[in-house]
Amino acid sequence: MEELLEILGDLHPEVDFTTAKDLVTGGILDSFDIVSLISEINEEFDITIGAAELTPENFASAETIYALIKAKLDDED
């Protein structure tokens, strides 16, 4: 989770991602942020997040993003 929070913090240092909710629908993350975030996550965690997984629900908060990462890591085991 620390790695993810660091990636998110690099995108928007002014946001407390430990408590922020509705990252996409609340306008905190825009489409460019999502593309950057996906690229960083794919590189950091050595996973691939597919287009079908790019839903507002999966990117609603740091917790939901981390759950997606964990699910992808578990799938690869």
Side-chain angles (χ1 to χ4, degrees), residues 3-76:
E3 296 93 345
L4 174 60
L5 291 173
E6 187 175 319
I7 293 168
L8 289 166
D10 288 345
L11 286 173
H12 288 284
E14 74 281 3
V15 176
D16 179 3
F17 286 100
T18 60
T19 59
K21 305 288 182 219
D22 300 322
L23 299 179
V24 175
T25 58
I28 296 171
L29 297 178
D30 61 22
S31 58
F32 180 75
D33 292 331
I34 296 292
V35 170
S36 298
L37 179 60
I38 300 269
S39 175
E40 291 287 330
I41 288 172
N42 289 347
E43 185 176 317
E44 178 71 28
F45 296 97
D46 194 29
I47 59 174
T48 301
I49 295 176
E53 295 157 322
L54 298 179
T55 64
E57 296 80 22
N58 283 338
F59 291 86
S61 67
E63 290 84 14
T64 60
I65 298 168
Y66 191 65
L68 174 61
I69 292 167
K70 284 189 56 106
K72 297 296 289 182
L73 289 170
D74 289 345
D75 285 348
E76 292 182 1

